[in-house]
Amino acid sequence: MSTTSHPHAFSRYCMHCGQRLTSAVPEGDSRRRLVCMDCGFVHYINPRPVAGTIPVREDGQILLVRRAIEPRIGTWVFPGGYMDVGETAEEAAARETLEEANLEVTDLVLVGVFTRPEPGVVVIVYEGRAVSEASAGDETSEVGWFGVDQIPWGELAFDSTEWALRQWVARRG
Ligand SMILES: [Zn+2]
């Protein structure tokens, strides 16, 4: 799945009564929200969870995929994407890895949780054991295996990509 669309694309209109929403601080609240002045409905916008894996091969190399889509087309990232309702974070991370790199991962272990306050995503990152071959999948132009000293730090997609990889490297010791 993609990180192409803005995670908080939303309607300007009330989902209950169809009136245009207004930016206002609701009573008892402290932040501006999208509020329907007609029926009182408050449209809360919450961060969205993204789940991904840093797949590790038997020789210790990790898999990254090169993005074939915007944003940050051409940069490297570990496989990941938005969670779907009905799946766990681990399932989402494994599904995204299969979709983007045709790679099966098992034995997921949490690396960390990384928040990007703008645009409002919480990235949940697991290390996973790679148990199949990999190839470019949806939304990727290339897959690459990297040793710890080969990680393309200058060509990573997002801050959270770097944070998670640095955390993974630090833990590995
Ligand atoms: Zn309304």
Side-chain angles (χ1 to χ4, degrees):
M1 197 199 133
S2 73
T3 45
T4 39
S5 56
H6 191 277
H8 301 302
F10 50 81
S11 170
R12 290 174 209 278
Y13 296 94
C14 179
M15 68 164 73
H16 291 297
C17 74
Q19 281 296 321
R20 203 177 170 84
L21 297 169
T22 304
S23 175
V25 180
E27 204 176 316
D29 203 336
S30 55
R31 300 182 63 158
R32 295 186 85 79
R33 313 281 184 188
L34 287 171
V35 181
C36 176
M37 293 308 194
D38 241 46
C39 76
F41 176 74
V42 180
H43 182 116
Y44 292 99
I45 301 171
N46 303 111
R48 290 182 60 184
V50 166
T53 71
I54 298 173
V56 185
R57 207 162 61 171
E58 221 159 62
D59 64 3
Q61 297 200 326
I62 63 169
L63 177 126
L64 300 175
V65 298
R66 197 190 278 278
R67 292 175 62 82
I69 52 164
E70 294 291 354
R72 305 285 292 147
I73 188 167
T75 57
W76 292 97
V77 67
F78 49 80
Y82 292 116
M83 289 177 61
D84 286 329
V85 169
E87 64 185 358
T88 65
E90 289 88 345
E91 287 166 349
R95 173 182 54 73
E96 291 286 349
T97 305
L98 194 58
E99 288 175 6
E100 295 186 351
N102 294 305
L103 176 66
E104 288 175 45
V105 285
T106 62
D107 306 313
L108 300 192
V109 176
L110 187 66
V111 172
V113 177
F114 306 90
T115 306
R116 289 163 59 210
E118 295 292 339
V121 293
V122 178
V123 186
I124 306 161
V125 183
Y126 298 92
E127 175 185 313
R129 191 160 67 87
V131 292
S132 75
E133 297 296 308
S135 60
D138 296 353
E139 304 171 356
T140 62
S141 59
E142 189 184 348
V143 298
W145 292 96
F146 297 89
V148 175
D149 49 7
Q150 301 170 317
I151 294 170
W153 295 108
E155 299 173 65
L156 299 179
F158 306 106
D159 286 348
S160 49
T161 312
E162 180 173 343
W163 298 334
L165 288 171
R166 289 209 184 280
Q167 174 79 14
W168 180 82
V169 169
R171 268 219 211 152
R172 199 173 157 280

